[in-house]
Amino acid sequence: LCKNEPRASVQGSLLLAGSEAGDTLEYNPNLLDDPQWPCGKHKRVLIFASYMTTVIEYVKPSDLKKDMNETFREKFPHIRLTLSKIRSLKREMRNLSEECSLEPVTVSMAYVYFEKLVLQGKLNKQNRKLCAGACVLLAAKISSDLRKNEVKQLIDKLEERFRFNRRDLIGFEFTVLVALELALYLPENQVLPHYRRLTQQF
Ligand SMILES: *[C@@H]1O[C@H](CO)[C@@H](O)[C@H](O)[C@H]1NC(C)=O
Ligand SMILES: *[C@@H]1O[C@H](CO)[C@@H](O)[C@H](O)[C@H]1NC(C)=O
């Protein structure tokens, strides 16, 4: 598979190989939220005798944004969405979860599911909203003690926000479950970094 991906960077290839060979590559919960990303190639690292420091040159906001998408694409050529798009989908996931009174831990779990699919290169323009929606739904079911009408309310909200049909969502829920190899219960070290960032923002 990797041989057919001439542009794939080493890291990209490893991620693809990892998702094929099981779970050989650890999921990194800090990768996609890394605040250093937008700086990309404008970043300079200066090494002094006893410490290391990073100097960020001044760049126009528009250049910064362009650079961020480009750096991301170079590093992860197998991911077919821009970093901005991935982040805006996550904001939507958080926003609607809050409106449905889901806990930050639920949002954190949904983020982990979602980012794993992103990093596996499974998302594209067509399925990205269904993916985001299915991740929220699965996280809500596994982490909250939802009543039947609350599940219905959440599905209504997902349908309204992401503009898909609930039948497609229910079908996609299973697809996502399989892609995640049924691993819905997550180790704390994958969830906690997201939880910390989310609760700091409240
Ligand atoms: C970066 O990606 C976002 C989302 O697709 C897009 O709106 C924006 O125009 C992109 N920026 C550049 C400069 O390519
Ligand atoms: C969700 O987004 C809408 C529109 O941007 C905003 O009005 C609303 O306050 C947000 N809700 C939460 C809980 O952040």
Side-chain angles (χ1 to χ4, degrees), residues 62-63 65-70 73 82-85:
S62 58
D63 290 350
K65 217 162 176 239
K66 176 154 181 278
D67 188 41
M68 173 183 86
N69 286 342
E70 274 175 11
R73 212 180 347 258
T82 62
L83 184 58
S84 317
K85 185 44 87 188

Side-chain angles (χ1 to χ4, degrees), residues 91-92 94-100 161:
R91 278 195 298 274
E92 288 281 5
R94 185 179 91 219
N95 176 292
L96 75 87
S97 297
E98 284 171 29
E99 290 186 354
C100 290
R161 190 64 64 88

